[in-house]
Amino acid sequence: MAASIRRRMKNSTLRNLEVMSTSNMVDFLSNDYLGMSTLQLEDNETTTTVRHGSTGSRLLSGNTLSHTSLENYISNLHTGFPSNALLFNSGYTANLSVFGCIPREGDNVIMDEEVRVVRTV
């Protein structure tokens, strides 16, 4: 895995999730053409836009502080260390990501009957 990371760094194809402000961002990255994944919160002085739904890949449409905080909380809860958890928007995308990245040719993957296989290795 370390060799794959070094190769991606050399080829400038390594991607990182960076927290970004999404309040002024126009969403051209999802099918949310009705704007239902955002919520306008208003009080007497300010209006705040809050994203509360799926708008596409976090690499493309933005990683929020909420995502990072929840991942750190879950990681601390289970391991005692931050930054060891990664959230996915569905079991399908989790399986697709894990089985597409971790197992290599010739590896055996053993799972129980409740796991939905997305891809064979």
Side-chain angles (χ1 to χ4, degrees), residues 26-43:
V26 178
D27 181 12
F28 293 111
L29 307 167
S30 72
N31 291 328
D32 184 29
Y33 50 87
L34 297 177
M36 296 180 73
S37 70
T38 58
L39 178 65
Q40 298 284 332
L41 301 177
E42 299 180 12
D43 61 17

Side-chain angles (χ1 to χ4, degrees), residues 1-58:
M1 190 173 292
S4 295
I5 292 172
R6 283 193 298 275
R7 187 171 45 253
R8 284 185 176 265
M9 289 174 75
K10 181 180 176 186
N11 296 336
S12 299
T13 57
L14 182 66
R15 302 293 178 250
N16 295 310
L17 289 173
E18 298 177 14
V19 175
M20 58 174 59
S21 171
T22 57
S23 60
N24 296 331
M25 189 172 77
V26 178
D27 181 12
F28 293 111
L29 307 167
S30 72
N31 291 328
D32 184 29
Y33 50 87
L34 297 177
M36 296 180 73
S37 70
T38 58
L39 178 65
Q40 298 284 332
L41 301 177
E42 299 180 12
D43 61 17
N44 293 335
E45 299 172 10
T46 60
T47 300
T48 304
T49 301
V50 177
R51 291 180 167 264
H52 62 86
S54 177
T55 59
S57 166
R58 289 165 58 190

Side-chain angles (χ1 to χ4, degrees), residues 16-22 58 62-69 71-72:
N16 295 310
L17 289 173
E18 298 177 14
V19 175
M20 58 174 59
S21 171
T22 57
R58 289 165 58 190
N63 184 42
T64 66
L65 186 57
S66 298
H67 289 118
T68 305
S69 296
E71 286 173 341
N72 286 336

Side-chain angles (χ1 to χ4, degrees), residues 7 41 48 53 61 73 77 81 87 97 102 105-106 110 114:
R7 187 171 45 253
L41 301 177
T48 304
S61 60
Y73 174 78
L77 186 67
F81 299 103
L87 294 176
S97 300
I102 295 177
E105 188 174 335
I110 300 171
E114 297 298 319

